Structure formats: C-alpha cells, structure tokens
Amino acid sequence: MIEVKPAHTEAPASRDGNIATDKAAQKGRSLYDNVVKQFNKAADLMRLDPNIQSILEKTANEIIVHFPVKMDDGRIEMFTGYRVQHNNALGPFKGGLRFHPSVDIDEVRALATWMTWKTALAGVPFGGAKGGIQIDPSNYSIEELERITRRFTFALGNNIGPEYDIPAPDVNTNAQIMAWILDTYLSTMPPHERFRSTHVVTGKPVKSGGSLGREKATGQGVVYMIQEWAKDHAFNLKGAKYLVQGFGNVGSWVARLMKPLGAKLIAVEDITGAITNAGGIDPDDLAEHVKRAGGVNGYRKGSQIDHETFLRMDADIFIPAAMESQITAHTAPLLRVGLVAEAANGPTDPEGDEILQARRIEVLPDILSNSGGVIVSYFEWLQNKRSEFWDIEEVDSKLRKKIVGTYERVRAAVRDLGTDWRTAAYVVALSHLERVYKERGIFP
Ligand code: NAD
C-alpha cells in the first residue's frame, strides 16, 4: 500500500471502503467485478504468482474529496470528486478524469485498474489511475465548470503531481479543463518550481504545453489497430461498413480517420439518439453538426433510428466509443458485425464477451485498441520534461510503431496460448508486471 499524500486543506482525502461497497450494492452489478473476472481468467491461464495476483487485485489508494463551489447565482453547492490510484510499480500513476453523473468509487476503481493493464501492455513507464467528479456538466455554466475544476484540483492537492499522478482528458473533459488544472496546480507551487511541473497533466492545449496529435491520438490508435486487423484478415477496408457508438473525442476522431481509408460510416449513436444513412455519413459534416447541436440528433442527412435498430445494423465493424457495459447478455446477440473494435473502456461485459466469442465475432480489446491516448500522453509528458516540441509526423510515426508493436505481441500470445485477444492482452500486461515485482521483491 502506498501512503496517500495529504491534500492542501480539503482534508477528507480518504480511503473509503464503505461508500464503495454501498454504491456497488445499490447498482446491483459492480463494474469492478467485471475487471476482476477478466483479470482472474488471464491470471489462471498464465498461472500468475498468487502473491502478485493478491497485490494486483487491490487498488493502492482511493481518494474521495467533497468540496464547495460558489454557483453563478451565489449559492454554494457541494461536489464529490474521486481519484483512484491502482498501481505504480511501473511508473507514476496515470489516467483520465471524467465528469459524469455515473462517476462513483466502483466505476473509478474499475477504470483505474484497466489503466494499469493498459500502460503495462503498451510498455509506457506509468501505472494506472482514474478520477472524476459526479456531475452532469451540461447543468453548469462554463464559469461554474472552471470553478468546479479548479476547486477539485485544489482539493486533490499533492495527490496529483508531474512525477506522481498525471491526469488527462476522458468523458466530458477536454484540453480546456486540463489547462485549468495545470494553472491551478502551478499556482499552488513555489515560483521556482512552476515551470518544472507542466507535465502534471497531459492532453493540454498545444500552446499551453500539449502535444500535437494528442487530441486525435486515441481515435488514431483505434484506426491503426483496425488497419492491422484488416491486413491479417486480408480484409479490404475500402467500402467496409461500420457503426460508431459515441461521437465525442474518440468516436468522432475514429470516424474522421476512417474516411480517407474509404470505409463507410452507416450509423452513429450518442446520448441524444441514433441516426443512419445507408449511403454513408460524412464524419466531418456530422462533427460540424454535433458542434452546433450538441449531439447527432437532428442531423438532416440521416434518419433517426432507435437504440435496438442501431445495434441490429448489418455492418462489418462496430466501434463502441461511449460508455462501459454496452455489449451485454442482452445486446451481444443483436450485433451483426464481424469485428468489435473497442474504443471505449470496458464496453463489453464478461457475459457479452462470451456471446461474442460463441458467435465468432472478433474483439480488439480496449486495453490494446484505445491505448493510443496514453501513448501520446507519454510523448507529451516526455516533451515537457525535455523542453522539446515534436512535429505531428514524429508523434504519429512513434505512436504507430509503439501500438503496432503491441498488437504484434498480443497476436503472438493469441497464437501461443490459443486464447481470445482480451485474455492474451491481459497475459502480456500481467507478465510484464509479474516480472517487475519478481525482480524488485516486496519491501521490506
Ligand atoms: P466524450 O465525452 O468526448 O464523448 C462521449 C460520447 O459518448 C458522446 O458522444 C456522448 O454523447 C456519448 N454517450 C454517452 N453516453 C452514451 C450512451 N449511453 N449511449 C450512447 N452514447 C453515449 O468522451 P471520450 O473522451 O470520447 O471517451 C469515450 C470513451 O473512450 C470512454 O469510455 C473513455 O473512457 C474512452 N477513452 C477515452 C480516451 C481519451 O483520450 N479521451 C482515451 C482512452 C479511452
């Protein structure tokens, strides 16, 4: 266990087991249970050392902060924020911050653990963490969101840091929010340390120390993975039909980067509804509409469909790029695709996974296919530390090399172990962590 560093003044940075259990019980099924199921499957297959298994099945630190923020009308509202740090055997904790009503300790714990597997698999020198605030950001003005973000950063205090725990964008957070976190964090530092600390967050605006290519990086990585899969299956992406669920940062970038490959986007779903056009939807045009309208609903060059019709669309590839647990025992039987390329974290639950396997629908698992984001976050972190600024060609080619290398390692594990891609990816990640623990031993 790693000690939680004290926060500045918002003292209740606590490890909270009770809230976790209560919330999970209220929701019925815990997301963290899904993580443990996937983990145990791989651990059993590879015969992971039971001592190391017991370390990895627990999170290191769970920080919950409650903090007040002044609203535009003068009221004070209390907010709850989370940061879960799962493991830092390989380097500083790393993972996104999410603003969403579903954020709770169980969700954040699951997402933090997936980050540990993802960074270990990608071979970047980070551990795993995740955090967020339980809010619907559409209920707040920009000014309120800025104050909420800044006060949350202040409440986290030294629980984040450029060499300790480095947040990044996730659902409903973006480069602007990272800029506010950066500015708040730097403002609390002694003046001579400020400019040694810009790598406290990644996914910053480029002018504030961000990396070229970070905004599209997760989508870019997904597309590189789909291209590798297509090569292996002698599958022509030109004219291939695909569906995207979620048209935010990741989903819209996947679609925009699939366009030059000649693939045809035939349906899109987001929180506002679902649309289809059998002749193909132009992702750039749809992105413009979403910017104006706030969602895909009302897009005039497509017709509205319901959730089930969207899932039943006949296509080659389904790209979930929204929330977790979308492909389940109920929805997996509906899919009529050959490949699921997981851009979201945890979009397929264990029952959904079994059905996809039984139906011989291939899955490129989240910890592999969406790792482009954390890989380019690592590049941003390196550029900040070295006071360098890489051009987009350098970022893209390094990303491609790194993620394709990982794909090849997972493909080899699939063949050697005769298992599915998710389990193989876990085995590669867990072998890396197991080796490091064995080399170093356990203190004292
Ligand atoms: P975002 O906030 O930019 O977009 C989220 C999208 O999902 C929006 O279009 C929203 O309308 C849609 N959505 C939300 N709930 C939905 C629902 N119930 N049904 C259908 N659509 C729904 O978020 P993002 O950054 O694009 O993240 C999307 C997913 O990708 C998340 O699982 C996130 O953890 C994962 N991810 C993001 C990054 C990153 O770099 N941003 C990196 C790795 C993984």
Side-chain angles (χ1 to χ4, degrees), residues 96-376:
L97 283 180
R98 169 179 293 198
F99 289 0
H100 195 274
S102 76
V103 168
D104 65 11
I105 192 72
D106 173 63
E107 182 181 89
V108 179
R109 188 179 279 156
L111 292 163
T113 310
W114 280 321
M115 280 307 296
T116 300
W117 313 151
K118 196 184 300 183
T119 52
L121 177 65
V124 291
F126 290 132
K130 204 82 177 195
I133 310 178
Q134 195 181 73
I135 48 166
D136 178 350
S138 65
N139 292 338
Y140 299 93
S141 69
I142 294 289
E143 293 74 19
E144 287 170 336
L145 282 176
E146 176 174 353
R147 290 196 292 277
I148 294 166
T149 303
R150 287 182 180 278
R151 191 66 193 234
F152 177 47
T153 309
F154 185 73
L156 286 175
N158 290 333
N159 289 295
I160 60 168
E163 306 289 338
Y164 180 65
D165 183 357
I166 305 127
D170 193 75
V171 175
N172 290 333
T173 59
N174 56 19
Q176 174 61 75
I177 288 180
M178 296 306 116
W180 291 330
I181 296 174
L182 171 70
D183 187 68
T184 308
Y185 185 83
L186 296 185
S187 302
T188 64
M189 314 252 343
H192 56 279
E193 286 194 18
R194 282 185 196 152
F195 297 101
R196 275 195 269 136
S197 303
T198 47
H199 49 307
V200 63
V201 280
T202 56
K204 301 178 285 288
V206 173
K207 293 264 189 297
S208 293
S211 176
L212 290 174
R214 173 59 185 89
E215 196 197 290
K216 67 165 181 150
T218 307
Q220 181 69 77
V222 173
V223 174
Y224 287 153
M225 293 297 85
I226 292 172
Q227 286 180 291
E228 290 307 303
W229 177 89
K231 247 192 261 168
D232 280 347
H233 291 75
F235 177 83
N236 192 353
L237 286 171
K238 200 168 163 57
K241 292 189 282 185
Y242 69 102
L243 319 170
V244 176
Q245 184 188 50
F247 208 73
N249 172 290
V250 179
S252 67
W253 271 112
V254 170
R256 290 166 73 184
L257 295 164
M258 290 286 275
K259 182 172 151 180
L261 307 179
K264 191 151 84 166
L265 176 62
I266 59 160
V268 182
E269 180 182 60
D270 73 3
I271 195 72
T272 67
I275 53 152
T276 186
N277 183 335
I281 296 163
D282 177 13
D284 293 300
D285 192 50
L286 180 61
E288 284 302 315
H289 168 83
V290 169
K291 217 188 272 174
R292 279 194 310 272
V296 302
N297 194 28
Y299 185 59
R300 275 195 297 213
K301 294 172 205 159
S303 39
Q304 313 288 317
I305 47 174
D306 63 26
H307 180 54
E308 198 173 313
T309 310
F310 169 77
L311 292 172
R312 286 183 188 277
M313 300 282 307
D314 203 352
D316 299 294
I317 306 169
F318 176 43
I319 302 164
M323 302 299 285
E324 47 273 2
S325 302
Q326 296 298 310
I327 304 175
T328 63
H330 300 295
T331 56
L334 308 180
L335 296 180
R336 291 161 68 195
V337 295
L339 172 70
V340 172
E342 294 184 339
N345 285 306
T348 310
D349 75 9
E351 291 76 21
D353 230 355
E354 273 175 30
I355 293 169
L356 295 183
Q357 271 179 50
R359 296 187 58 213
R360 298 190 184 284
I361 296 176
E362 297 205 19
V363 177
L364 284 171
D366 48 6
I367 62 167
L368 169 65
S369 53
N370 74 24
S371 62
V374 77
I375 292 172
V376 177

